Amino acid sequence: MSATNKPSLPRISIRGLSKSFNGNIVLEDVDLDIMPGDSTTVIGMSGTGKSVLIKCVLGLLRPDAGEILVDGENWLALPEQEHLQRMRRIGMLFQGAALFDSLKVWENVAFALLRQNVPKKQAHERAHEVLEWVGLHDVGDLMPSELSGGMAKRVGLARTICHKPDIVFFDEPTTGLDPIMSDVINRLIVRLHKGSGTTMLSITHDLRSAEMISDHIALLCHGRIHRIIRANELTSDQDPMLRQFVEGRASGPINCSPWGKKIEEVIDR
Amino acid sequence: MKWIASIGAGVESIFSHTGSYTLMLLQLLRKLGSRPWYARQLIAQAEQVGVQSLPVVLLTALFTGMVLALQSYIVFHRFAAESLTGLVVSMSLVRELGPVLVGLMVAGRVGASFAAELGTMRVTEQIDALWTLSTDPFRYLVTPRVLAVTLMLPLLTIIADYIGIYGGYAISVYVLDQNPVVYVENTTVYMELEDFYSGLIKAAFFGMLIGVIGCTEGFNCKGGAAGVGTATTHAVVISCMSILVSDYFLTAWLFG
Ligand SMILES: Nc1ncnc2c1ncn2[C@@H]1O[C@H](COP(=O)(O)OP(=O)(O)O)[C@@H](O)[C@H]1O
Ligand SMILES: [Mg+2]
C-alpha cells in the first residue's frame, strides 16, 4: 500500500465530529487526522469524552454531526451491512477487555475468524499463535472468568489482532493494571506497531503509556482537540493546558467544571 | 397527590416501553429477511430455553391439573355431574391455563435470563465488541433468542397440557374413584382440535412477548450492575402483565 501519492491521504480522518447527550455537549467539532502507519494517542481528563470519540469513530455511537473518513470513504454514510464488512479491517481493545464470558478463551480470540467461516482447526491454530504472541500459553481452554485482569487484557489484545486488522483502537489499554503489567501491554503494543505498521488510535490518561506507544499525542479538552504534538515533545512542549495536564495540577486553564458539576449533582441528590 | 404523579409516570413509562418493544420487533422482522441467520445460535438458545423451563413447567402443569380435578369434582358433585370433571380439566388446561402458566413460568426463567445476560453484555461492552468483530449484535444475540422462545413455548405448552391432563386423570381415577373409561371418553369426545390450536397460538404469541421484552430490556440496558437488575425486574414484571392482558384479547379474538 505504498503508492506514490498515498501518504498524503490520511488513513483515518475525523471531520467536525460533534456529540451531545441530552443537551450535555461532550464533543464539539473535533478534527483529527491519522496518517497510515501512524500511532496517535488522545489524552484528556476522565469524562472528557475520549471513549465517546472512539465509539463514534467505530460506529458504536451515532454522532450528531461530522464525518469519519477511512481512506477517504465516509463510513458513517455506509449501510449497516457494508459498515460491518469494513469492520474486518478494524481491531478494538476495550477498557475492560469485553471478553465473551460464555466462550472459551481461544473461541474469544478466534471469534472473528470463526464468524468468517475459517475452518475450526485453522482458527484454533491461529488463536494459539496469537496467544503465544502475547505471552500466554495453555489458557486456550479456560473460560474468561478464570483469568486475572492482566491476562484478560492480553487475551483481549490477542482477540483484537487475531484477524490481522490494519487499523487498531485501544481504549485505556493500561488503566487498572499494575505498573509491570502496564509495561508488558505497552511493549506488546509497540511491538505490534513496529512489526506490522498498523495504524493506531489510542486513548488514555496514562502519560507514560502515551509516550511509549505513540508517534503523536493529541490533547482532548472542553470537547475539542486542543493541541497535537509529537510524542517526544510531551515533556518539553510549553502549551499551558498541556503543561497543566502533564504536571497534574487541578488549577490552570483546563476548566474542571464538568467534573465540578457532577459532584454538585451527586450532592444535590 | 403523590399517587397521581406516580400514575402519570407509570402511564408515560408504559408508552415508552411499548415503543421500544415495537421498534425491536420491527427491526427483528426486517433483519429476518436477509442473511446471516446464525442457525447454530438459534438451536443453542432453543435448547437452553427447554432445559431452563422444563422442570418448572412440568411441576406447575402436574399440580394445576391435579387441583383442577379436585375443585371441579367438588362443584360437579353438588349436581351429580362428576363425569364432566375430565372435560373441564382438559378444556381449562388446553385453552387457557396451559399457555398462560407456561408463559408466566418461562417469563420468570427465560425472560429474566435474556435480560440479565444481554444487560451484562451491554454494560461490559461485549455487545460493542461484537460489532467491532464484524458481527451484527442484533442478529447474533436478539434474533435467535426471540425465535427460540417463540418456537419453544408452544412445544412446552403441549407437554404441559399432557402432563396436566394426566394429573387430573390420576386424581379423578385414583383418588376420587371415577370411572377411567368415562373420564377419557368425555374428554376426547367433546374436545375439538380447535381448542388445542387456540392454546398453541396463544403460546407462540406469549413466547414472542417474552423474547422481545426480555431482549429489549437487556439490549438497551444502561447504568452498570444496577441497570442490569432493573432490566431483569422489568423484563419479568412487564412480560407477565402483558401475557395476562393480551390473553384476554387473544381469547376474545380467537373466540369470535
Ligand atoms: N451512552 C451515554 N449516554 C449518556 N451519556 C454518556 C454516554 N456515554 C458517555 N456519556 C457521557 O459522556 C461523557 C464522556 O464520557 P467518556 O467518553 O466515557 O469519558 P472518558 O474520557 O473518561 O472516556 C461523560 O460525562 C459521560 O457521562
Ligand atoms: Mg473512557
Side-chain angles (χ1 to χ4, degrees):
Chain A
M1 292 199 195
S2 54
T4 42
N5 60 350
K6 266 277 172 68
S8 59
L9 187 67
R11 173 108 320 147
I12 305 174
S13 183
I14 302 168
R15 300 242 161 276
L17 191 71
S18 299
K19 176 77 186 170
S20 54
F21 294 101
N22 311 317
N24 172 24
I25 297 170
V26 177
L27 298 177
E28 198 178 4
D29 204 14
V30 170
D31 289 310
L32 185 65
D33 282 345
I34 301 162
M35 301 309 282
D38 188 76
S39 168
T40 296
T41 299
V42 175
I43 58 173
M45 277 178 16
S46 289
T48 44
K50 301 186 298 295
S51 297
V52 170
L53 173 67
I54 226 169
K55 284 186 178 171
C56 285
V57 173
L58 286 165
L60 293 167
L61 284 173
R62 276 269 139 196
D64 304 330
E67 290 182 331
I68 307 295
L69 306 175
V70 179
D71 291 335
E73 181 185 41
N74 185 5
W75 279 18
L76 293 180
L78 291 172
E80 193 178 47
Q81 216 46 38
E82 276 185 49
H83 198 166
L84 269 174
Q85 290 287 321
R86 303 290 192 281
M87 297 309 286
R88 293 186 181 191
R89 289 182 56 190
I90 301 289
M92 163 76 184
L93 177 58
F94 288 87
Q95 190 172 341
L99 300 178
F100 305 124
D101 13 59
S102 57
L103 300 179
K104 287 178 184 168
V105 164
W106 84 262
E107 290 168 325
N108 262 286
V109 174
F111 191 87
L113 300 182
L114 292 171
R115 293 278 80 72
Q116 287 161 28
N117 294 325
V118 172
K120 201 165 169 176
K121 188 161 168 284
Q122 211 174 317
H124 187 265
E125 265 168 31
R126 171 72 185 150
H128 278 92
E129 191 183 307
V130 189
L131 282 170
E132 290 280 330
W133 188 87
V134 298
L136 292 170
H137 319 275
D138 305 325
V139 297
D141 287 325
L142 296 181
M143 297 308 282
S145 57
E146 297 171 275
L147 303 174
S148 72
M151 282 160 96
K153 207 59 172 255
R154 279 187 285 166
V155 172
L157 180 59
R159 185 178 71 182
T160 303
I161 62 173
C162 187
H163 53 293
K164 301 185 176 157
D166 68 339
I167 307 172
V168 178
F169 296 83
F170 296 105
D171 186 347
E172 315 235 354
T174 57
T175 303
L177 297 179
D178 61 77
I180 294 174
M181 193 44 70
S182 297
D183 192 51
V184 171
I185 299 286
N186 287 333
R187 280 163 186 248
L188 287 171
I189 294 175
V190 170
R191 174 148 62 122
L192 174 70
H193 183 50
K194 295 264 149 48
S196 61
T198 311
T199 308
M200 295 182 178
L201 174 58
S202 321
I203 57 182
T204 189
H205 50 235
D206 176 348
L207 293 171
R208 211 178 102 78
S209 167
E211 226 176 346
M212 246 176 109
I213 64 176
S214 34
D215 303 317
H216 293 94
I217 295 178
L219 176 67
L220 179 71
C221 162
H222 304 160
R224 293 166 187 270
I225 297 291
H226 173 72
R227 187 167 178 79
I228 303 174
I229 56 167
R230 301 193 66 81
N232 53 20
E233 296 164 354
L234 190 66
T235 42
S236 60
D237 192 81
Q238 285 308 313
D239 178 76
M241 281 194 179
L242 196 73
R243 289 257 57 76
Q244 182 192 350
F245 191 83
V246 171
E247 287 160 18
R249 283 181 279 110
S251 57
I254 298 182
N255 178 6
C256 301
S257 96
W259 184 69
K261 198 164 119 202
K262 266 237 170 113
I263 285 285
E264 278 160 25
E265 271 170 22
V266 172
I267 292 170
D268 285 348
R269 214 173 279 165
Chain B
M1 289 293 122
K2 240 182 183 166
W3 59 276
I4 293 188
S6 102
I7 290 177
V11 169
E12 191 191 325
S13 96
I14 286 178
F15 277 108
S16 79
H17 278 278
T18 313
S20 60
Y21 304 147
T22 312
L23 287 180
M24 201 71 159
L25 186 60
L26 291 178
Q27 197 172 1
L28 180 93
L29 294 175
R30 189 169 57 78
K31 294 204 166 184
L32 263 181
S34 63
R35 288 175 157 278
W37 290 305
Y38 298 117
R40 207 173 291 169
Q41 298 301 112
L42 172 62
I43 293 165
Q45 286 302 325
E47 209 178 304
Q48 186 77 6
V49 170
V51 171
Q52 279 182 337
S53 320
L54 203 55
V56 269
V57 163
L58 290 183
L59 212 66
T60 314
L62 181 66
F63 278 88
T64 306
M66 284 160 58
V67 80
L68 269 179
L70 274 182
Q71 291 281 31
S72 29
Y73 177 83
I74 292 168
V75 175
F76 285 129
H77 185 63
R78 292 188 189 155
F79 34 95
E82 293 95 334
S83 62
L84 286 177
T85 306
L87 183 61
V88 166
V89 170
S90 335
M91 286 287 248
S92 332
L93 274 169
V94 167
R95 288 190 66 100
E96 188 59 46
L97 291 173
V100 171
L101 287 176
V102 170
L104 295 177
M105 291 301 132
V106 172
R109 293 290 275 154
V110 175
S113 84
F114 284 178
E117 206 178 344
L118 297 194
T120 308
M121 292 188 74
R122 170 62 75 192
V123 301
T124 56
E125 299 184 307
Q126 290 177 52
I127 293 185
D128 290 342
L130 279 172
W131 173 266
T132 66
L133 293 163
S134 21
T135 305
D136 182 350
F138 194 99
R139 290 173 192 271
Y140 187 74
L141 298 173
V142 176
T143 312
R145 282 177 170 73
V146 177
L147 288 186
V149 67
T150 308
L151 296 174
M152 287 304 282
L153 220 72
L155 219 66
L156 287 164
T157 301
I158 295 175
I159 299 173
D161 288 347
Y162 272 100
I163 297 292
I165 291 172
Y166 175 76
Y169 172 87
I171 291 296
S172 302
V173 172
Y174 303 122
V175 178
L176 305 170
D177 266 341
Q178 297 213 273
N179 184 332
V181 180
V182 174
Y183 188 100
V184 172
E185 206 175 83
N186 268 343
T187 307
T188 46
V189 166
Y190 292 106
M191 264 234 309
E192 288 170 14
L193 211 54
E194 188 216 295
D195 297 319
F196 202 63
Y197 283 149
S198 76
L200 295 190
I201 293 174
K202 278 185 183 179
F205 187 79
F206 297 159
M208 186 206 68
L209 281 181
I210 295 168
V212 169
I213 293 173
C215 287
T216 310
E217 289 295 333
F219 205 72
N220 298 341
C221 175
K222 285 196 183 87
V228 178
T230 315
T232 311
T233 318
H234 278 168
V236 176
V237 173
I238 298 176
S239 11
C240 288
M241 289 195 313
S242 5
I243 286 174
L244 295 173
V245 171
S246 65
D247 181 45
Y248 172 79
F249 291 102
L250 280 177
T251 309
W253 171 61
L254 292 166
F255 207 61

